[in-house]
Amino acid sequence: MTKNKTHETAINPTDFIHSFVENDSKKEDSFRLIELMQEWSGFPPKMWGPSIIGFGSYHYKYASGHQGDAPLIGFSPRKAAFSLYVYTPSEQSTPLLDKLGKYRITKGCIYIKKLSDIDLMVLEKFCMESIAYLNEHHECACHTK
C-alpha cells in the first residue's frame, strides 16, 4: 500500500509562510486565514505535507481499503491562488457558492486570488459545514471538542 504524501509534519506554519510566500499581501491574507480557521475550527494550525496548513484532522477509509488522515479544513498559499480545503458537497454548502464571491472550484477545493475577493462570512459557513459533515461521516478530531 502506498504511503500518503499529505500527513502532518513538524514544520512551523509561520516559518513556512515567511519562507514560501513572496508577496506581502498574500502573506497578510495567509496569516488572516490562519487566525480565522483556528477560530472557526478550534484547532491550532499544523503543516500537512510540504505546503498545506491544516486545522484538526479526520480519518478516512475508502472502499478500496485506502485510508489516511487529512485536515478538517485548511489552505495552501500557492503562487497562482490560494487553495482552500473547505468545501463539502452537501445540501447546505452548494447554495453558498453563489454568495461566496470571485472563485474557481474543483472537486477537492476552492481557489481564490485574495481574501478581499470573497465574503468571509460565507467562507466561515463553508468551514463550519465541512467540519459538521466530516464529524458525521468520518472518525474526526472534532469528536473530542
Side-chain angles (χ1 to χ4, degrees), residues 39-118:
E39 177 185 322
W40 297 335
S41 71
F43 292 98
K46 303 279 184 171
M47 290 301 300
W48 285 77
S51 63
I52 295 172
I53 300 170
F55 301 81
S57 66
Y58 72 97
H59 187 78
Y60 61 87
K61 185 173 184 179
Y62 298 131
S64 67
H66 178 78
Q67 60 182 317
D69 297 304
L72 289 169
I73 58 174
F75 74 95
S76 181
R78 303 197 191 281
K79 201 174 268 294
F82 283 97
S83 299
L84 303 176
Y85 303 98
V86 301
Y87 181 70
T88 304
S90 68
E91 271 184 49
Q92 294 83 358
S93 291
T94 305
L96 290 173
L97 290 172
D98 292 335
K99 300 174 185 172
L100 182 59
K102 193 173 171 183
Y103 70 92
R104 187 172 60 83
I105 191 167
T106 61
K107 184 179 178 184
C109 63
I110 295 172
Y111 299 94
I112 63 166
K113 296 280 186 187
K114 55 189 184 270
L115 283 183
S116 61
D117 285 345
I118 62 168

Side-chain angles (χ1 to χ4, degrees), residues 4-66:
N4 291 340
K5 288 185 218 170
T6 306
H7 59 278
E8 194 174 312
T9 71
I11 296 168
N12 181 302
T14 298
D15 294 343
F16 164 73
I17 290 170
H18 284 302
S19 67
F20 184 78
V21 180
E22 296 172 1
N23 179 297
D24 286 340
S25 62
K26 187 167 266 193
K27 273 186 190 179
E28 276 183 42
D29 281 355
S30 296
F31 288 121
R32 180 70 177 135
L33 276 171
I34 286 175
E35 187 180 290
L36 292 170
M37 289 186 170
Q38 181 168 346
E39 177 185 322
W40 297 335
S41 71
F43 292 98
K46 303 279 184 171
M47 290 301 300
W48 285 77
S51 63
I52 295 172
I53 300 170
F55 301 81
S57 66
Y58 72 97
H59 187 78
Y60 61 87
K61 185 173 184 179
Y62 298 131
S64 67
H66 178 78

